[in-house]
Amino acid sequence: MGRKATPVAWESGLVTSRDGTRISFLSAGDGPGLVVIPGNGRRAHHYEALARELSGTHRVHVIDRRGRGGSGPQGPEYRIDDDVDDALAVLAHTRSEAVFGHSYGGLVGLHLALRHELAALVVYEPGVSIGGSFDGRWLPEYTRLLGAGRHNAAMATFLKRTRLAPIGDVPMPVFRALAHLLLHGSDGAETRALMATTPAEVGEVVRLDSDGGRYARITSPTLLLGGDRTPVYLTSVLPELARIIPTARCVILEGLDHNAPDLNAPAVVADRIGSFLPSGGGRR
């Protein structure tokens, strides 16, 4: 048996965003600052292994986005620019110049780079929809089930329709069983709480569907990462984004899936991030 990984020595931080919302984040390591923006259904602590891998060379700051932990609520008028404002506040407070975003956090990172030039931007399978590539037709059903308190049915709908569970195209009862395990395990209460953030965030993915042309205005050095075990609707946009963003390049990593940064291969992803970031903290 391998040795248990040493827990990250987190330090807690707090900033106030432009609209007055309090945003909490966790920090670890030494070196140039890197702000990490988590994906939907994830909190800062889910990126502990990623932070551990990077903390020897960088000061890593992982945001608890709105609706999570000690951060304020999304609010009824939530838009992606709220998350961008929050990340900008953390960047300024920590004097960081680099960003890593995962999934929906990657979409936030791209929109942040439209407003602020970075020393480096790395995104892993950002929630970008180009030409209707993201099928959000399941969202009304998910929202209705969640509003009715039917968390298990809502989670099963999410798992089946997003195809993010590594179990293939199986009958709905299998997804219900998996949803039950997720919602009644050791992290079940937190998982149920995080489900409330999904309608507004996935709604933004759908609302922001376009031809991708807006991202041509990004001037920050950008690395687009994905895994070849992820559903194609999330990875097919990466080469297109690499064509659109003048400073971007795309790398598809063999054997990795959508949860590589937080669960399944944080060391592999951290290596790619670390290799791309400016070693001295300045601009590339």
Side-chain angles (χ1 to χ4, degrees), residues 66-134:
R66 294 185 179 218
R68 298 154 173 83
S71 294
Q74 284 180 332
E77 304 299 323
Y78 169 81
R79 287 292 184 266
I80 198 168
D81 278 341
D82 297 325
D83 265 313
V84 172
D85 288 340
D86 302 344
L88 286 170
V90 175
L91 279 165
H93 181 80
T94 62
R95 299 182 180 179
S96 300
E97 295 189 54
V99 165
F100 170 70
H102 175 211
S103 192
Y104 185 78
L107 181 63
V108 175
L110 290 170
H111 281 256
L112 187 157
L114 289 173
R115 291 171 48 184
H116 178 84
E117 188 174 2
L118 298 162
L121 170 65
V122 184
V123 295
Y124 188 95
E125 298 178 1
V128 175
S129 185
I130 295 178
S133 59
F134 183 91

Side-chain angles (χ1 to χ4, degrees), residues 194-218:
L194 288 171
M195 290 175 70
T197 66
T198 296
E201 292 175 5
V202 173
E204 284 295 272
V205 175
V206 174
R207 182 181 72 85
L208 292 167
D209 176 76
S210 69
D211 63 1
R214 61 165 63 96
Y215 302 111
R217 295 188 288 109
I218 293 176

Side-chain angles (χ1 to χ4, degrees), residues 40-277:
N40 175 255
R42 311 310 285 161
R43 284 195 54 191
H45 70 81
H46 289 123
Y47 297 84
E48 180 176 10
L50 185 78
R52 182 187 302 111
E53 295 291 336
L54 290 163
S55 61
T57 55
H58 288 80
R59 178 74 167 164
V60 184
H61 310 282
V62 193
I63 301 174
D64 254 334
R65 294 197 295 105
R66 294 185 179 218
R68 298 154 173 83
S71 294
Q74 284 180 332
E77 304 299 323
Y78 169 81
R79 287 292 184 266
I80 198 168
D81 278 341
D82 297 325
D83 265 313
V84 172
D85 288 340
D86 302 344
L88 286 170
V90 175
L91 279 165
H93 181 80
T94 62
R95 299 182 180 179
S96 300
E97 295 189 54
V99 165
F100 170 70
H102 175 211
S103 192
Y104 185 78
L107 181 63
V108 175
L110 290 170
H111 281 256
L112 187 157
L114 289 173
R115 291 171 48 184
H116 178 84
E117 188 174 2
L118 298 162
L121 170 65
V122 184
V123 295
Y124 188 95
E125 298 178 1
V128 175
S129 185
I130 295 178
S133 59
F134 183 91
D135 183 358
R137 288 177 294 178
W138 54 270
L139 185 58
E141 179 184 6
Y142 175 93
T143 304
R144 177 182 61 80
L145 291 168
L146 193 63
R150 298 178 60 189
H151 288 76
N152 200 86
M155 177 61 77
T157 297
F158 176 88
L159 294 172
K160 181 174 178 62
R161 298 296 297 275
T162 62
R163 308 197 304 276
L164 292 177
I167 56 177
D169 187 14
V170 296
M172 192 61 172
V174 178
F175 288 100
R176 294 194 189 103
L178 178 57
H180 181 84
L181 290 174
L182 289 172
L183 296 176
H184 294 86
S186 58
D187 298 325
E190 182 175 76
T191 301
R192 285 193 296 274
L194 288 171
M195 290 175 70
T197 66
T198 296
E201 292 175 5
V202 173
E204 284 295 272
V205 175
V206 174
R207 182 181 72 85
L208 292 167
D209 176 76
S210 69
D211 63 1
R214 61 165 63 96
Y215 302 111
R217 295 188 288 109
I218 293 176
T219 58
S220 306
T222 301
L223 177 62
L224 308 162
L225 296 176
D228 67 358
R229 295 181 60 191
T230 296
V232 69
Y233 72 88
L234 283 170
T235 56
S236 63
V237 299
L238 298 179
E240 183 68 8
L241 286 171
R243 184 188 66 79
I244 293 169
I245 301 172
T247 56
R249 63 185 178 93
C250 169
V251 178
I252 302 297
L253 300 169
E254 184 178 356
L256 270 58
D257 63 9
H258 189 61
N259 287 108
D262 53 324
L263 290 176
N264 300 324
V268 177
V269 177
D271 182 66
R272 292 287 179 160
I273 297 170
S275 296
F276 187 74
L277 296 181

